[in-house]
């Protein structure tokens, strides 16, 4: 029987070789008709033997091309025959609902690598080789529908050979928009810090010279996929130290890149699952446990037990590392906390005091995207920074966004989120919204996503903190959008729920640095009974003053003094403790007056600040030079063999958690000569037990047995593992972050979910 069916395939189906796949599949099944992209996805009109059509549809679902993601196939049957004479790929049609997805950037595929290292191939050693299965995408797209004229590759006119491949449906480069070759495509340049071209020897390659420069201790700025890296030989302690000094980056760990997993194994323990994550096409930086015998300058990642490694993801990386048997430091090309450089002129201005040389090229980067960072938890990927390789792929949700929503995110590690249907387009990591450059990148980012996904948000969600630039941005919008303020920690919990596709009431634990509370104080050690609509605060850490506000975040010794004074009284200054010995008495006297008079000393229930206090108490870190440093170093020193824990005391009805007993026990231990790694472990385990205790109480009172863990504190793996183990043993179902970060990078997703639920409840 002959039939005709029309199919609309949605998901990630453009720029990933989907039409050639449909074309050859249809030919194999002897079907006729046509396939085209439209703004909603891929439209297929197919006719022929009815049974063959069913097989065709089954295979569309079952074995799409590697980068494609089929989310749905809508079909229309009972059409009159069109009597096609063959099967063809036809030009893009402009119709359809506007929501075709743009693919994330993809690491160089095995086929392209083989060609690049094959002397007879016409792209032999060409640093911009790519195909339908790999190459830059999101970072070069200027507009949709995705085709070459709307990418930065429009600067290059294809040669005849490239065009022939581009137009041949059976070629791997059929409609590979960034396809190019040495004759027609982008080229590398190597210049010194003053912009002067480096003269090469006869027959010498640019990448070969760059490698020599790196091997001789030079710092080279390398233009990558989403921005510039600053690279140097990771085994050259002097080069690493010079890079730190010039970048004004004292301690924050550097990311590393190595040619192969074998090289990574010389420095880190790598499980099979971690190897798979290193090798996946998204190519994140993977946090791995450092080997105790790893020979690497301490300055790469001072005092940490983990290293962040990635494998090469662009052809240029493969060429630079071709004969390099050591890791390279590959840190983002910026000064201190500014956003990463991505335009040549601007990179030259900003990085020429840091880099000795610039390895650049003339393919423009349209959207800046940092390297993503992930690690394994419980055998599964857990993302910590979601950017290149991930964005702009939407986070699919279990619920439907009934209105189009823009969620503006928080302040640090900002992302924004645009949502509709079952798609949350969580942006790539924007950065800390603390300077003009990042704010500009945020505003441009929102405009760009709106255009790419044809979204016109009617509802705007924002954090309650009045001073966040994201809040100010939201409140200044004047397109008639409904505005919804969302409490920071409720957003954390909702983000974890959406991440795990769970709905309904549960126990939400949100532990982080600081977020604006519903009572106007600064929260951060919070326990809720929450769903997407509301969060009832059922317990929290007792309030303490935060003397000096932001200054107290940078100086953990202040929190140690605050907590010691509460636990021990003013006599704490006589104790023989590292934090007290280190303390400037005059500075403490000033602080004490500030606390007494309430000057610039907001109240906080932050768990992050309690970790800071304990870190300083143990002599680990009194002044931090990057966010979270005191807690990160406290975790790194915790003794994994320790099984004892400190006990927090709930006060009153159990909703207020007192910390004095924990601080007093830690002080006693330290004075008794208990080693700090044991004290650190007992503190971590104490927090894990506290979470389990509160969860049990809420379970008994409210009949809830599901727990969501969110907030930056849960990037602490020592705490996370023990908390999950305790709750699991108690019969709780535990949800932790997977697809979006536990830190403030996940806030915007939670804001969007909450705004949506309030719309559904008729509250907006
Ligand atoms: Zn390829
Ligand atoms: Zn060409």
């Amino acid at each position: 029987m002959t039939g005709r069916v029309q199919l609309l395939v949605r998901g990630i189906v453009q720029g990933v070789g989907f039409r050639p796949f449909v074309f050859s599949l249809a030919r194999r099944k002897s079907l006729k008709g046509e396939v085209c992209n439209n703004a909603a996805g891929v439209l297929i009109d197919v006719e022929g033997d009815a049974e063959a059509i069913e097989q065709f549809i089954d295979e569309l679902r079952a074995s799409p091309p590697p980068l494609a993601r089929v989310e749905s196939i809508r079909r229309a049957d009972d059409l009159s025959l069109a009597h096609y004479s063959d099967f063809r790929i036809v030009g893009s049609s402009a119709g359809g609902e506007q929501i075709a997805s743009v693919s994330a950037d993809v690491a160089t595929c095995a086929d392209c690598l083989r060609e690049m290292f094959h002397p007879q191939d016409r792209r032999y050693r060409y640093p911009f080789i790519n195909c339908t299965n790999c190459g830059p995408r999101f970072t070069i797209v200027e507009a949709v529908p995705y085709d070459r004229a709307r990418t930065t590759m429009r600067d290059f006119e294809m040669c005849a050979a490239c065009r022939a491949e581009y137009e041949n449906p059976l070629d791997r480069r059929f409609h590979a928009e960034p396809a190019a070759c040495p004759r027609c495509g982008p080229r590398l340049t190597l210049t010194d810090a003053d912009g002067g071209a480096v003269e090469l020897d006869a027959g010498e390659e640019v990448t070969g010279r760059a490698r020599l420069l790196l091997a001789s201790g030079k710092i080279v700025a390398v233009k990558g996929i989403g921005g510039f890296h600053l690279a140097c030989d990771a085994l050259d302690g002097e080069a690493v130290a010079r890079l730190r000094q010039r970048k004004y980056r004292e301690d924050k760990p550097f990311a590393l890149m190595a040619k192969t997993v074998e090289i990574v194994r010389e420095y880190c323990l790598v499980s099979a699952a971690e190897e798979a994550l290193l090798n996946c096409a998204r190519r994140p930086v993977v946090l791995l446990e450092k080997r105790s015998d790893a020979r690497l300058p301490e300055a790469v990642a001072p005092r940490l037990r983990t290293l962040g490694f990635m494998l090469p993801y662009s052809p240029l990386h493969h060429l630079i590392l071709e004969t390099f048997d050591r890791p390279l430091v590959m840190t983002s090309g910026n000064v201190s906390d500014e956003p990463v450089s991505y335009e040549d002129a601007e990179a030259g201005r900003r990085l020429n005091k840091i880099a000795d040389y610039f390895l650049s090229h003339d393919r423009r980067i349209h959207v800046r995207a940092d390297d993503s960072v992930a690690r394994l938890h419980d055998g599964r990927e857990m993302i910590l920074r979601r950017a290149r390789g991930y964005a702009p792929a939407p986070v699919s949700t279990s619920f439907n966004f009934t209105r189009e929503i823009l969620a503006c995110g928080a302040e640090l590690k900002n992302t924004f989120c645009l949502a509709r249907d079952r798609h949350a387009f969580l942006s790539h990591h924007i950065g800390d919204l603390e300077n003009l450059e990042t704010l500009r990148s945020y505003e441009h980012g929102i405009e760009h996503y709106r255009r790419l996904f044809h979204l016109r948000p009617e509802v705007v969600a924002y954090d309650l903190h009045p001073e966040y630039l994201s809040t100010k941005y939201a409140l200044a919008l004047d397109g008639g959008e409904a505005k919804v303020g969302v409490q920071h920690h409720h957003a954390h919990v909702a983000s974890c729920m959406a991440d795990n596709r769970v709905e309904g009431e549960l126990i939400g634990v949100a532990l982080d640095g600081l977020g604006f509370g519903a009572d106007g104080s600064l929260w951060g050690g919070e326990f809720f009974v929450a769903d997407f609509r509301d969060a009832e605060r059922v317990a929290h850490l007792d309030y303490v003053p935060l003397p000096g506000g932001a200054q107290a975040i940078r100086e953990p010794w202040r929190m140690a003094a605050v907590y010691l004074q509460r636990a021990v009284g003013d006599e704490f200054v006589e104790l023989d403790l590292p934090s007290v010995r280190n303390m400037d008495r005059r500075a403490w006297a000033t602080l004490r007056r500030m606390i007494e008079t309430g000057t610039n000393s907001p109240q906080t229930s932050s768990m992050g600040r309690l970790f800071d206090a304990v870190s300083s108490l143990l002599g680990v870190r009194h002044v931090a030079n990057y966010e979270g440093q005191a807690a990160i170093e406290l975790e790194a020193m915790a003794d994994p063999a320790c099984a004892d824990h400190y006990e927090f005391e709930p006060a009153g009805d159990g909703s207020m958690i007192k910390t004095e007993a924990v601080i007093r026990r830690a002080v006693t231990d330290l004075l008794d000569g208990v080693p700090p790694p044991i004290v650190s472990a007992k503190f971590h385990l104490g927090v894990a037990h506290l979470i389990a205790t509160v969860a049990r109480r809420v379970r008994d009172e409210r009949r809830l047995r599901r727990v969501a863990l969110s907030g930056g504190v849960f990037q602490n793996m020592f705490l996370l593992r023990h908390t999950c183990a305790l709750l699991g043993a108690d019969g709780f179902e535990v949800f932790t972050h997977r697809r979006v970060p536990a830190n403030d990078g996940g806030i915007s997703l939670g804001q969007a979910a909450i705004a949506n639920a309030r719309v559904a409840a008729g509250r907006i």
Side-chain angles (χ1 to χ4, degrees):
M1 214 180 86
T2 307
R4 178 180 170 209
V5 174
Q6 278 184 349
L7 303 164
L8 175 63
V9 187
R10 304 168 91 151
I12 297 175
V13 289
Q14 294 188 10
V16 291
F18 202 81
R19 286 175 304 161
F21 155 74
V22 170
F23 175 84
S24 46
L25 181 60
R27 286 213 166 170
R28 270 207 315 282
K29 303 281 178 204
S30 306
L31 297 171
K32 292 172 178 169
E34 57 186 36
V35 56
C36 69
N37 282 343
N38 75 2
V42 166
L43 197 62
I44 305 170
D45 194 342
V46 64
E47 70 181 17
D49 178 62
E51 204 168 307
I53 291 179
E54 294 311 316
Q55 292 170 1
F56 170 84
I57 297 170
D58 287 346
E59 279 190 45
L60 276 188
R61 272 186 216 284
S63 50
L67 299 178
R69 204 167 77 190
V70 174
E71 274 164 11
S72 70
I73 301 181
R74 206 163 68 195
R75 66 185 278 172
D77 285 272
D78 302 326
L79 303 164
S80 53
L81 294 181
H83 302 291
Y84 287 109
S85 57
D86 58 1
F87 196 91
R88 288 174 18 178
I89 295 173
V90 297
S92 297
S93 112
E97 300 157 66
Q98 312 257 303
I99 191 153
S101 298
V102 174
S103 158
D105 303 296
V106 184
T108 313
C109 74
D111 288 333
C112 284
L113 280 182
R114 211 171 300 122
E115 288 171 352
M116 186 172 73
F117 287 116
H118 193 293
Q120 262 73 57
D121 195 275
R122 70 187 191 88
R123 293 187 181 83
Y124 179 55
R125 307 189 69 75
Y126 182 54
F128 302 94
I129 188 168
N130 66 79
C131 73
T132 320
N133 299 322
C134 74
R137 294 285 188 280
F138 173 60
T139 51
I140 60 165
V141 171
E142 296 171 325
V144 284
Y146 174 64
D147 60 29
R148 189 176 178 108
R150 295 180 187 86
T151 71
T152 61
M153 281 303 290
R154 67 190 161 87
D155 301 353
F156 304 91
E157 195 176 334
M158 275 188 209
C159 68
C162 284
R163 178 149 298 278
E165 293 169 341
Y166 181 86
E167 288 171 354
N168 175 6
L170 296 177
D171 193 278
R172 205 172 87 246
R173 294 195 172 83
F174 175 73
H175 278 272
E177 308 301 345
C181 77
R183 279 183 53 199
C184 65
R187 278 158 213 232
L188 289 178
T189 49
L190 182 63
T191 53
D192 60 27
D194 301 322
V198 173
E199 259 184 61
L200 301 179
D201 297 336
E204 192 185 29
E205 280 183 324
V206 169
T207 47
R209 175 62 75 87
R211 186 165 53 240
L212 283 179
L213 291 168
L214 288 163
S216 66
K218 300 295 185 210
I219 296 169
V220 182
V222 180
K223 186 173 177 182
I225 298 294
F228 278 82
H229 280 118
L230 289 161
C232 75
D233 181 349
L235 297 197
D236 186 334
E238 268 178 54
V240 176
R242 212 175 324 120
L243 178 54
R244 283 216 175 273
Q245 190 202 352
R246 292 185 190 171
K247 205 171 136 71
Y248 299 104
R249 179 152 157 159
E250 285 176 70
D251 290 320
K252 198 172 174 186
F254 282 147
L256 300 167
M257 183 182 278
K259 186 191 166 195
T260 61
V261 175
E262 286 63 46
I263 297 174
V264 178
R265 280 190 210 285
E266 291 174 29
Y267 305 92
C268 291
L269 303 173
V270 186
S271 69
E274 285 165 337
E275 179 170 353
L277 186 54
L278 279 165
N279 265 312
C280 78
R282 302 181 297 279
R283 292 287 155 108
V285 174
V286 181
L287 297 190
L288 300 163
E289 190 182 336
K290 191 171 154 187
R291 285 171 62 131
S292 54
D293 59 351
R295 280 205 228 157
L296 201 69
E298 176 70 8
V300 169
R303 292 173 291 282
L304 300 190
R305 275 195 206 164
T306 52
L307 292 173
F309 261 106
M310 59 187 151
L311 296 179
Y313 56 83
S314 82
L316 179 57
H317 298 149
H318 286 281
L319 289 169
I320 297 171
L321 284 164
E322 187 181 7
T323 57
F324 214 71
D325 59 359
R326 312 185 286 286
L328 282 180
V329 163
M330 286 289 258
T331 185
S332 40
N334 56 6
V335 183
S336 196
D337 291 327
E338 290 176 5
V340 61
S341 291
Y342 71 112
E343 291 166 327
D344 285 271
E346 161 248 338
R349 276 196 311 277
R350 285 165 70 205
L351 303 182
N352 68 358
K353 298 277 188 299
I354 306 177
D356 301 306
Y357 293 92
F358 285 80
L359 177 56
S360 189
H361 57 73
D362 51 359
R363 185 176 69 201
R364 287 179 294 121
I365 297 171
H366 185 69
V367 176
R368 160 199 286 139
D370 293 88
D371 291 319
S372 295
V373 182
R375 76 186 311 160
L376 237 61
H377 168 57
D378 217 4
R380 285 162 64 191
E381 179 179 1
M382 172 172 121
I383 192 96
L384 302 169
R385 182 166 73 194
R386 193 176 177 279
R388 180 201 37 84
Y390 293 78
V395 174
S396 62
T397 51
S398 58
F399 53 86
N400 198 44
F401 287 97
T402 51
R403 307 261 289 273
E404 293 185 10
I405 294 173
L406 164 65
C408 294
E411 179 93 334
L412 298 178
K413 300 182 166 68
N414 176 280
T415 64
F416 58 84
C417 180
L418 282 152
R420 85 180 221 183
D421 301 331
R422 285 171 188 269
H423 299 290
F425 295 96
L426 185 66
S427 77
H428 54 295
H429 166 86
I430 301 289
D432 299 345
L433 282 184
E434 291 178 322
N435 54 57
L436 201 62
E437 181 71 19
T438 315
L439 179 64
R440 199 171 299 139
S441 151
Y442 173 77
E443 291 170 348
H444 287 173
I446 292 176
E447 284 313 307
H448 190 53
Y449 273 68
R450 283 183 54 168
R451 276 197 306 271
L452 285 190
F453 302 108
H454 303 279
L455 289 158
R456 211 160 307 171
E458 305 156 88
V459 179
V460 175
Y462 60 91
D463 194 277
L464 295 180
H465 200 304
E467 293 306 316
Y468 283 180
L469 292 180
S470 57
T471 301
K472 292 181 173 169
Y473 173 87
L475 295 177
L477 291 174
D478 58 1
E481 304 90 345
K483 312 277 175 80
V484 193
V486 176
Q487 200 279 322
H488 190 91
H489 302 93
H490 183 202
H492 268 307
V493 173
S495 168
C496 185
M497 291 169 65
D499 189 346
N500 288 281
R501 305 173 66 89
V502 297
E503 296 175 48
E505 220 174 41
L506 49 61
I507 303 168
V509 184
L511 308 181
D512 72 353
L514 295 172
F516 204 80
D519 61 359
S521 55
L522 297 169
W523 293 5
E526 314 303 316
F527 297 79
F528 301 100
V529 167
D531 58 16
F532 282 133
R533 270 173 302 182
D534 295 292
E536 178 194 347
R537 194 186 194 201
V538 292
H540 63 90
L541 279 189
D542 194 4
Y543 286 118
V544 298
L546 187 71
Q551 199 64 20
I553 302 173
R554 286 188 288 273
E555 298 180 5
W557 73 266
R558 294 183 181 220
M559 295 317 295
V562 165
Y563 273 103
L564 278 168
Q565 192 209 20
R566 286 171 80 88
V568 184
D570 278 330
E571 311 82 81
F572 87 89
V573 295
E574 306 304 328
L575 296 173
D576 185 25
L577 291 170
S579 63
V580 179
R581 282 197 300 273
N582 173 78
M583 196 174 70
D584 175 340
R585 296 298 172 94
R586 279 210 312 256
W588 166 241
T590 310
L591 225 58
R592 206 176 164 282
R593 269 197 305 280
M594 283 171 67
I595 295 168
E596 266 175 16
T597 57
T599 316
N600 193 15
S601 298
Q603 295 289 305
T604 182
S605 56
S606 162
M607 182 61 85
R609 299 289 82 80
L610 179 60
F611 270 81
D612 283 358
V614 174
S615 181
S616 172
L617 182 63
L618 269 62
V620 177
R621 182 139 297 274
H622 306 299
V623 176
N625 57 54
Y626 64 88
E627 198 216 344
Q629 184 181 16
I632 290 167
E633 293 182 4
L634 182 67
E635 177 195 355
M637 69 139 39
D639 185 341
C642 172
D644 291 342
H645 70 273
Y646 297 136
E647 201 79 56
F648 285 82
E649 331 149 86
D653 61 355
S655 67
M656 183 75 89
I657 299 150
K658 294 288 200 182
T659 52
E660 284 82 351
V662 167
I663 298 294
R664 275 196 293 268
R665 284 292 310 278
V667 167
T668 311
D669 276 351
L670 287 170
L671 294 175
D672 286 350
V674 175
I678 302 280
V679 178
S680 168
K682 286 167 87 171
F683 170 70
H684 277 85
L685 291 171
V687 176
H689 277 273
L690 166 69
I691 295 166
T693 305
V694 176
R696 275 194 300 269
R697 175 172 70 77
V698 179
R699 175 181 63 191
D700 296 345
E701 290 169 10
R702 310 288 281 266
R703 308 271 137 227
L704 296 171
R705 32 190 319 113
R706 300 184 303 165
V707 183
L709 305 176
S710 190
V713 169
F714 287 109
Q715 294 170 103
N716 181 322
M717 296 309 282
F718 193 94
L719 176 68
L720 184 63
R721 284 195 198 105
H722 284 285
T723 304
C724 289
L726 285 175
L727 289 170
D730 248 339
F732 285 101
E733 193 181 355
V734 186
F735 300 103
T736 61
H737 280 277
R738 301 287 178 191
R739 301 181 292 163
V740 306
N743 59 46
D744 284 5
I747 285 280
S748 59
L749 174 63
Q751 291 173 338
I754 292 167
N756 183 60
R758 291 186 182 161
V759 166
R763 280 158 56 177
I764 291 164

